[in-house]
Amino acid sequence: MNKGFVVTPWEVSGDIDYSRLAKEFGTTPISDTLLKKIEKHSGKLHYMLSRKIFFSHRDLDILLSEYEKGTKFALYTGRGPSGDTHLGHLIPWIFTKWLQDVFDAPLYFQITDDEKYLCKRDLDLSQTTAMGYENALDIIALGFDPEKTHIIVDTDYSKTLYKIALQVAKKTTASSAKAVFGFTNETNIGMYFWPAMQAAPCFLPSILSGQKIRTLIPAAIDQDPYWRIARDVAPKLGYPKTSAIHCSFLPPLTGMSGKMSTSEGMQSTIFISDDEKTVRKKIMKYAFSGGKETVEEHRKKGGNPDIDIPYQWLRYFEEDEKKLRKIYDDYSSGKLLSGEIKQILADKISKFLAEHRKKRESARKNISKFILKD
Ligand code: TRP
């Protein structure tokens, strides 16, 4: 049946119906009661929660109830280093940093140079490892606490991870890997083993501490199939089931379908390394507009923020609720023109990236504080 979209760890395309996706994946929408429970600890909710950019979860309620009884948890997220970091990658990481601050939680950040070597035909291992260390700078630049943040580049931490992955692999059959990930007889056998490596950090905090530590994974929803495997095997191995909180995808610059990704082409993606001129040019030229054909008509009828990429991106990057609301109202009423909302976005993104790049450079000298090796 063609439902008009595809979401797997390797492909995201089409017009994604997120509530339908949550149903299909068997994840739970984040309820207002759960938001209140988070708010009790955080004071104000992060805008990615109140705007439902993070919209679904697995067992977050259980993890929080345990936390309220005094049980600490660890955070786990990751990055597949197949190229330069772009704005879409930063969304779950920005939110992860907030979770770390609110819950004072250690973070394990997996950089999967092994995975990207296995699944990308044109990349060799030395390239994915090098990209992994470059990507690590973008993670550090977001301000994670060096005392509590452990970045793992898989091939440099394989002694520890491999032993955990073996336990997972022994309890996972090829037929379940096929069912969950769509592997076929043509898939290389490295990929059949790979889900065990991505599940391993779910249990790493327990193994390192010798206690049963719960993990919470903030990540985009396409990674959820891995957590199904990890959660299936957890009780068999004597670990708590991992919890997850899922976000939607930053749409490509060129329109609402799919997610921003390097393979969608340069026009649809803003990289961390894009200078101000490039950022402005891409936004002015390529950002899909929900505005009307002519200024006259736009003034009369107003634009449609629901399909307007500059507005949609501001939902992801403009923290100030009042500012965002005013932009919404002015754009819908026709007071704000398409060129003007693009300027607002270009200003916001250019400023953010200029600051980010400074922090990224100073991260170079601190990187060893973050990297776990064995
Ligand atoms: N498979 C992910 C990717 O290709 C990388 C990854 C590994 C990850 N562990 C993770 C992402 C945990 C989110 C959470 O990008």
Side-chain angles (χ1 to χ4, degrees), residues 186-212:
E186 276 58 54
T187 307
N188 72 56
I189 60 171
M191 287 305 290
Y192 273 82
F193 183 72
W194 166 252
M197 288 296 282
Q198 185 153 331
C202 297
F203 313 124
L204 182 64
S206 295
I207 284 162
L208 293 179
S209 68
Q211 290 167 325
K212 293 194 174 170

Side-chain angles (χ1 to χ4, degrees), residues 76-80 110 112 115-116 198 217-219 223 226-227:
Y76 161 39
T77 193
R79 154 81 182 140
Q110 182 181 38
T112 61
E115 174 196 16
K116 293 298 142 179
Q198 185 153 331
I217 307 169
Q223 297 300 305
Y226 290 107
W227 321 138

Side-chain angles (χ1 to χ4, degrees), residues 74-85:
L75 292 160
Y76 161 39
T77 193
R79 154 81 182 140
S82 55
D84 289 343
T85 318

